[in-house]
Amino acid sequence: MTLNEKIGQMTWTHVYGSSANDTSMAEQNQKRYGVDTPAQVVEKYNLGGVLYFAWSGNTNNPMQIAKLSNGLQETAMGESGDGVPLAITVDQEGGLVARIGPPATVLPGNMALGATFDPGLAHAQGEILGSELRAMGINVDFAPVLDLNSNPDNPVIGIRSMGEDPDVVSSLGVEQIKGMQQYVGAAAKHFPGHGDTSVDSHYGLPIVTYDRETLNKHLQPFQAAIDAGVDMVMTAHIIVEAIDPDMPGTLSHKVLTGLLREEMGFEGVITTDALDMAAMADEWTQQEIAVMAIQAGSDILLNSPDIEASFAGVRAAVASGEITEARLDESVRRILEWKVERGVFEKPLADPDEVAAVVGNSDHLATAKQISDRAATLLRNEEQTLPLAPGSSVLMVGAGSGWPELMGPMLADQGFAVTEEYENGSSPSEAYRARAVAAAEGVDAVVFTSNNATGNTAQQRMVEELTATGTPVIVVATRNPYDISVFPNADAVINSYGVKKVNFHGVVRAIAGEINPSGKLPVNVPRADGGGILLPLGFGLDYGTKATPADVVFTNRPGRGQDAYTIPAAEGVDYLIDGEIVDAGTYRKARSVSVTAVAEEGYYFDDATTSWSYTFTTGLPG
């Protein structure tokens, strides 16, 4: 390989367009790369990999993605077919960060998965991600996130994390990797741990100041991933003072070589996080970043905003002896070996016939719903507010950022009489709050979607004003799981860990009593004033013991005096007629009767028949 070809193998970046020869985004390609099409970008720089995004036109639908992947691979391999195939990559974590939407399977996300505490579901999630990406010609998923979300104020990780317990995150992370790597390469991120930052590295350079003992907890999931054979590790643009107080991990030899390679024994491929993030781009030039990242130990320069500058910087460093060509050879060899071992050389192209059969198939969708069912986490349930009685009237409101308009129709589908009041934005206006309060007066319950309400006083005020009406208020916390701390008067609080329909699936079923909530907090929830822990990791309520109502029996005989209905005796079940509890037994002389079953305190129903109605005939004996 020439020097430029070696630098190209180490350069993985995005391209604009929905097919290899698409010219519809030529303006963007020209501005960034000086050529018109995705294929021309690959050819110009001899790229080692490409990175797909929705905003760059790459992920419109599964079949289009497969054709784009195949077109780019054919470009990379050349007319003779003996060129080096591409790493085709994407950030498809599931949940909040997913570059490919429906009809691909939409997953509830990592923190929802963490709330299940179930390694089997983690493995299944990895299989879903890996198999669907492979069907679309993608061979690397920049996932899973192994950061411990130990800082409630973390602005960038949050529900992308599986939690803050290193044992749980290690177990779930390893199973995701094992499931994923049956099909594609996985990348554990963001090393050495981005979970305790209060600055988003997209916009600034975070610094973590904890000691080595604390760092070791953040390293534990990465060590577990390395021991399990993860293909890649992605670096974090953060300064970890316990290892290197001067340089961010991406540019630190102490972090990437000393810690990751030598101490932790990682022999796979190291990739930077995107080099266009402010934590990098605001501090150094792209020439400097490229050189320092390679010197630190990275094999891949990911998504540089100025590839020409990156190439120039590396060429100049080789010419001056600052970087040896042998050092580049180490990374290129590692990348090529990965492409061989991962089967990229053997099978570079997607099979279009697999797309429809694999992507978003019924089994995958069922697993996503199962994760949602298992994730719904009930944190408060005063006076058994939940589950709501069948047919209850409900006011559906919330912060616009909590997407209540998705949840309202789902509650209606459960048979609730739903009144909907919505407003865009994360901070409910005074006028919207007043409309909601007025509407709350005439319903059985209010459902409010919050979204990171710990930092939003307007959401806090709205819930407080709703609770003052005396109507029971159910808060569905749709983002980070800490909102309960600022809603002391809400009657019930349940966490969904996301705002997609699949996140609401389990929560709605729990509200309706179709499932018994079983999710547990994957993090500690601090008190609002910072004075200790409000709810500990692992906390979660349920509805109690499952009860199954026995059917009411109606006996219709000739002659009104012979008609009868029998109320059965069933553990945990009360039978009501006209709102009054009726004892078990046989009753006569009724013209018509309607009976409803309700769960006694400490019991719940799961997919049970709960109402019976019958009108007796009035004929004379024959």
Side-chain angles (χ1 to χ4, degrees):
M1 284 185 176
T2 66
L3 177 58
N4 276 347
E5 288 172 336
K6 293 175 184 179
I7 300 170
Q9 270 304 304
M10 298 172 66
T11 301
W12 299 11
T13 193
H14 75 272
V15 292
Y16 292 96
S18 60
S19 67
N21 297 308
D22 181 10
T23 58
S24 67
M25 302 186 78
E27 182 180 354
Q28 291 93 326
N29 281 320
Q30 277 288 344
K31 183 176 180 180
R32 193 167 181 119
Y33 306 116
V35 294
D36 290 336
T37 69
Q40 289 168 352
V41 179
V42 171
E43 288 177 325
K44 178 176 180 178
Y45 296 106
N46 296 292
L47 292 181
V50 295
L51 173 61
Y52 285 171
F53 290 101
W55 49 259
S56 56
N58 307 145
T59 61
N60 300 330
N61 63 73
M63 186 61 74
Q64 167 267 317
I65 296 169
K67 291 179 179 178
L68 171 62
S69 299
N70 285 352
L72 293 177
Q73 291 290 24
E74 288 165 353
T75 298
M77 292 184 293
E79 292 183 7
S80 64
D82 58 2
V84 179
L86 292 163
I88 299 183
T89 74
V90 72
D91 293 280
Q92 192 77 357
E93 300 167 9
L96 186 64
V97 175
R99 313 303 188 196
I100 304 170
T105 301
V106 178
L107 291 157
N110 275 338
M111 193 161 282
L113 181 65
T116 74
F117 285 76
D118 189 333
L121 287 177
H123 191 95
Q125 175 164 307
E127 287 185 321
I128 290 169
L129 291 168
S131 62
E132 295 195 3
L133 294 180
R134 184 66 195 94
M136 292 180 278
I138 296 166
N139 49 45
V140 178
D141 190 0
F142 287 136
V145 172
L146 297 186
D147 303 310
L148 305 182
N149 200 73
S150 55
N151 185 343
D153 296 324
N154 193 313
V156 65
I157 301 301
I159 56 172
R160 297 171 64 192
S161 164
M162 288 175 278
E164 69 172 287
D165 184 296
D167 292 332
V168 173
V169 174
S170 296
S171 173
L172 299 181
V174 164
E175 288 304 320
Q176 275 207 72
I177 290 164
K178 287 180 178 178
M180 202 180 299
Q181 289 195 166
Q182 294 177 50
Y183 305 95
V184 301
K189 65 185 188 185
H190 307 83
F191 184 85
H194 209 315
D196 195 21
T197 63
S198 56
V199 174
D200 183 346
S201 52
H202 291 85
Y203 306 108
L205 179 58
I207 300 173
V208 292
T209 59
Y210 46 59
D211 58 19
R212 180 58 197 259
E213 183 179 359
T214 303
L215 173 62
N216 286 343
K217 295 178 182 178
H218 290 266
L219 294 176
Q220 183 180 326
F222 292 96
Q223 187 66 66
I226 292 167
D227 294 344
V230 70
D231 283 9
M232 300 182 185
V233 170
M234 177 181 283
T235 68
H237 303 330
I238 64 171
I239 290 177
V240 180
E241 289 190 340
I243 301 297
D244 188 339
D246 301 315
M247 297 299 290
T250 299
L251 306 181
S252 171
H253 188 272
K254 293 177 182 177
V255 171
L256 299 191
T257 299
L259 178 60
L260 181 56
R261 290 282 189 215
E262 296 172 359
E263 184 176 333
M264 299 178 70
F266 182 59
E267 297 179 352
V269 175
I270 298 175
T271 177
T272 70
D273 202 345
L275 296 177
D276 57 357
M277 293 161 63
M280 296 285 100
D282 287 358
E283 301 290 333
W284 298 276
T285 68
Q286 288 302 312
Q287 292 96 323
E288 292 170 327
I289 290 170
V291 171
M292 289 189 289
I294 294 169
Q295 289 174 326
S298 186
D299 301 306
I300 295 164
L301 305 173
L302 185 66
N303 217 40
S304 167
D306 189 342
I307 288 183
E308 292 286 350
S310 294
F311 268 65
V314 177
R315 283 195 300 265
V318 171
S320 69
E322 198 176 353
I323 295 176
T324 66
E325 197 158 348
R327 166 66 191 89
L328 300 186
D329 291 344
E330 290 177 15
S331 288
V332 172
R333 185 177 298 110
R334 199 174 280 120
I335 292 166
L336 295 178
E337 287 174 350
W338 172 82
K339 289 181 178 181
V340 171
E341 293 168 3
R342 183 45 59 194
V344 180
F345 273 94
E346 181 182 357
K347 189 180 178 183
L349 302 181
D351 181 351
D353 293 337
E354 290 185 7
V355 175
V358 174
V359 179
N361 68 39
S362 59
D363 289 342
H364 292 178
L365 297 176
T367 299
K369 289 180 178 179
Q370 183 184 8
I371 294 171
S372 180
D373 283 345
R374 294 279 304 283
T377 306
L378 184 64
L379 301 182
R380 184 184 299 145
N381 195 23
E382 298 294 338
E383 299 182 4
Q384 290 189 292
T385 299
L386 296 176
L388 294 179
S392 294
S393 58
V394 175
L395 172 64
M396 185 73 236
V397 294
S401 53
W403 287 83
E405 62 268 37
L406 290 182
M407 192 174 176
M410 296 172 74
L411 287 170
D413 288 344
Q414 288 287 343
F416 297 114
V418 180
T419 301
E420 299 174 273
E421 285 282 353
Y422 303 134
E423 180 184 80
N424 291 332
S426 61
S427 299
S429 68
E430 186 175 352
Y432 176 49
R433 301 201 308 267
R435 292 201 312 272
V437 167
E441 302 285 354
V443 296
D444 297 321
V446 177
V447 177
F448 178 92
T449 57
S450 69
N451 188 274
N452 285 354
T454 53
N456 189 295
T457 56
Q459 291 184 40
Q460 296 171 31
R461 282 196 297 268
M462 184 166 180
V463 171
E464 196 63 26
E465 290 163 3
L466 289 167
T467 59
T469 67
T471 301
V473 175
I474 302 152
V475 171
V476 178
T478 65
R479 186 71 180 262
N480 292 346
Y482 311 105
D483 285 2
I484 188 173
S485 67
V486 294
F487 296 133
N489 295 319
D491 297 275
V493 178
I494 187 166
N495 287 357
S496 70
Y497 308 103
V499 297
K500 300 180 187 295
K501 286 187 71 173
V502 71
N503 295 99
F504 291 133
H505 170 83
V507 166
V508 167
R509 294 188 74 209
I511 289 172
E514 284 194 354
I515 60 170
N516 187 21
S518 61
K520 306 297 180 185
L521 279 173
V523 296
N524 291 299
V525 175
R527 297 183 184 278
D529 62 5
I533 300 300
L534 175 66
L535 296 175
L537 186 151
F539 179 86
L541 302 174
D542 58 31
Y543 295 153
T545 304
K546 180 179 178 180
T548 302
D551 287 333
V552 177
V553 176
F554 301 96
T555 304
N556 188 17
R557 295 192 180 97
R560 185 179 298 173
Q562 301 300 311
D563 295 339
Y565 60 93
T566 299
I567 303 294
E571 180 182 354
V573 182
D574 283 332
Y575 292 86
L576 281 66
I577 296 178
D578 296 329
E580 300 291 331
I581 295 176
V582 181
D583 292 334
T586 299
Y587 299 84
R588 299 183 183 278
K589 297 182 179 179
R591 174 71 178 87
S592 63
V593 63
S594 294
V595 184
T596 301
V598 296
E600 295 178 353
E601 185 172 356
Y603 291 85
Y604 75 99
F605 299 155
D606 184 2
D607 289 331
T609 300
T610 58
S611 62
W612 303 262
S613 295
Y614 195 84
T615 300
F616 295 96
T617 61
T618 58
L620 296 174

